Amino acid sequence: MKKVLKVLAYLIGLVLLLLASTAAFIHFRGIPKYEVAMTEEIRRLKVPQDTLLVAEGKRLSTMLCQQCHFSNETKKLTGSQMKDVPKAFGIIYSRNITQHPSKGIGEWTDGELYYFLRTGIHPKNGGNYIPPYMPKFPRMADEQMHAIIAWLRSDDPILAADPTELPEIKPTFLVKFLSTVAFKPMPLPTKTLLRPDTAQKVALGEYVANSMVSCYPCHSADLKTVNDLEPTKSVGFYGGGNPMMDINGEQIVRTANITMDPETGIGKWTETDFVNAVKYGQKPGGGSLAYPMMPHTALSDTEVKAIWAYLQTVPKIKNKVERAK
Ligand code: HEC
Ligand code: HEC
């Protein structure tokens, strides 16, 4: 009997040693790096400075980039601390994405920007992978991807070269660990991605909600169980309840159930209620929706109504969310 216990003790000791050395490895290696595998086509990408393209890029950036990269001090996109990133993820700053050659992204090529925004693999930092505190855009239509790049190159004053530099980010062990076992870069698209036209209402709504603006990561059950490759496989897809932080990172605000369940979702809403909530952050009974639900004034009525049409096709989930006061 004693011998068995001894062997068991050795085994447990061995397992603990292995765990400790794996943990030490993850801690010191940090967030994993990946091979920067840009195709020839991406390497050669040169987006034209077309006025319409720049305007579309600016419109998209107000929903997709500026909230994280805008600095209240410089009034430009020189980056700021992400106060609403959960403490368990560490101290995270967004970066300077003005046109400054060394402190900003002035020296990135169009291809490098495209590759980074699609995959989340940093082409300048030896292939550093960027965890989910910066979104990736693997399914956005090529035209809109190009629009964002055209805008980043434009003479928009908030992008004018600025040398402001922020401290290094300090991700916790949890981020390093999850980036090793769960979070992965997104694959490059294998074909040209098109935006559905306005005649295909449900398809357009699905595109806007799942590929362009990404409503689903917030409106699923938890950020840790979101499936960015196949959004519909995210746990609690559009059923809400995801615990998010308020703007100061102090209080939890749970996302709403926006499936058509009449009791716990928005099944009793009208299309107008929905447009007012999504575009202007207005609650049907009066009052405003809480951060991080932002007004999406840059979406057209057609796009918001298309999302409404698409949500009618999403499976209802019964999930009563304890809402913020
Ligand atoms: C939710 C917040 C968030 C949003 C939205 C966001 N970013 Fe970021 N971005 C970050 C953070 C945080 C980093 C730094 C990550 C790191 O260093 O690990 C970053 C890094 C970057 C970098 C790398 C810069 C460098 O020099 O290393 C670029 C380029 C960039 N973002 C562009 C964009 C663009 C363009 C958009 C919109 C299409 C966007 N970001 C949207 C948070 C965000
Ligand atoms: C950054 C996370 C985030 C994103 C992105 C987001 N939402 Fe929300 N949304 C929330 C939160 C949090 C609430 C709850 C706010 C509250 O309780 O006041 C909410 C509330 C709502 C509501 C109100 C529902 C109700 O019962 O009151 C609707 C409708 C809605 N969101 C639709 C959308 C749509 C459509 C999109 C994409 C265009 C979207 N949201 C993107 C976080 C988000």
Side-chain angles (χ1 to χ4, degrees):
M1 193 60 198
K2 270 213 177 114
K3 205 165 175 188
V4 174
L5 280 181
K6 231 182 199 168
V7 172
L8 209 66
Y10 271 129
L11 277 177
I12 291 173
L14 204 66
V15 168
L16 285 179
L17 196 70
L18 261 171
L19 282 179
S21 48
T22 311
F25 169 75
I26 291 174
H27 175 69
F28 289 111
R29 188 215 38 197
I31 292 165
K33 289 181 188 292
Y34 289 85
E35 188 199 345
V36 180
M38 292 188 3
T39 62
E40 226 6 73
E41 197 188 344
I42 296 177
R43 230 177 268 283
R44 280 201 307 264
L45 179 70
K46 195 84 198 84
V47 174
Q49 270 295 306
D50 172 282
T51 323
L52 283 179
L53 215 51
V54 170
E56 173 66 352
K58 187 174 172 72
R59 173 179 92 101
L60 292 170
S61 78
T62 62
M63 295 180 283
L64 303 177
C65 320
Q66 295 191 27
Q67 74 272 32
C68 289
H69 285 277
F70 188 78
S71 154
N72 278 323
E73 275 108 64
T74 62
K75 308 285 178 219
K76 290 188 195 153
L77 300 189
T78 52
S80 52
Q81 191 184 341
M82 310 276 84
K83 293 221 178 73
D84 59 344
V85 167
K87 300 233 164 27
F89 275 28
I91 301 175
I92 310 298
Y93 299 88
S94 65
R95 296 280 130 207
N96 181 336
I97 59 167
T98 69
Q99 290 153 0
H100 193 279
S102 55
K103 310 293 184 215
I105 56 170
E107 281 179 352
W108 289 46
T109 64
D110 288 358
E112 284 169 336
L113 284 168
Y114 177 94
Y115 185 78
F116 176 71
L117 294 173
R118 284 279 194 224
T119 63
I121 298 173
H122 197 300
K124 294 273 196 209
N125 271 355
N128 251 349
Y129 162 70
I130 306 291
Y133 33 74
M134 153 104 194
K136 290 97 203 162
F137 305 91
R139 289 177 306 280
M140 182 180 280
D142 289 277
E143 193 195 342
Q144 289 189 305
M145 210 67 231
H146 294 168
I148 291 175
I149 297 170
W151 164 73
L152 285 168
R153 304 283 187 221
S154 72
D155 57 6
D156 189 331
I158 60 174
L159 292 165
D162 184 302
T164 303
E165 204 169 359
L166 289 172
E168 278 306 305
I169 62 167
K170 291 196 185 66
T172 54
F173 178 76
L174 177 68
V175 175
K176 296 176 190 171
F177 175 73
L178 288 175
S179 300
T180 305
V181 299
F183 306 150
K184 294 284 178 235
M186 292 291 121
L188 285 170
T190 49
K191 56 177 190 321
T192 305
L193 299 178
L194 299 171
R195 175 164 44 155
D197 65 49
T198 47
Q200 303 160 269
K201 204 168 180 187
V202 171
L204 178 67
E206 177 182 18
Y207 170 75
V208 175
N210 296 351
S211 304
M212 185 179 120
V213 188
S214 290
C215 314
Y216 72 91
C218 287
H219 282 281
S220 296
D222 197 295
L223 285 179
K224 295 195 275 305
T225 48
V226 158
N227 188 329
D228 279 318
L229 256 189
E230 294 174 83
T232 55
K233 291 194 178 153
S234 303
V235 175
F237 186 60
Y238 284 118
N242 198 340
M244 316 222 104
M245 298 311 275
D246 70 1
I247 198 152
N248 299 314
E250 279 159 8
Q251 251 163 23
I252 288 189
V253 180
R254 288 188 189 273
T255 63
N257 178 349
I258 57 168
T259 68
M260 292 301 145
D261 183 66
E263 265 69 52
T264 64
I266 56 171
K268 288 182 181 152
W269 284 33
T270 63
E271 186 189 61
T272 312
D273 291 339
F274 186 75
V275 172
N276 288 336
V278 178
K279 276 192 86 161
Y280 309 111
Q282 288 168 357
K283 292 188 190 179
S288 308
L289 290 166
Y291 181 93
M293 177 65 199
M294 306 291 277
H296 293 74
T297 43
L299 286 179
S300 69
D301 282 14
T302 309
E303 284 170 332
V304 182
K305 288 175 183 171
I307 300 177
W308 175 251
Y310 164 62
L311 287 175
Q312 311 299 319
T313 71
V314 169
K316 292 176 195 160
I317 294 179
K318 206 166 256 326
N319 179 30
K320 180 147 180 50
V321 176
E322 201 61 57
R323 300 285 290 276
K325 275 163 224 91

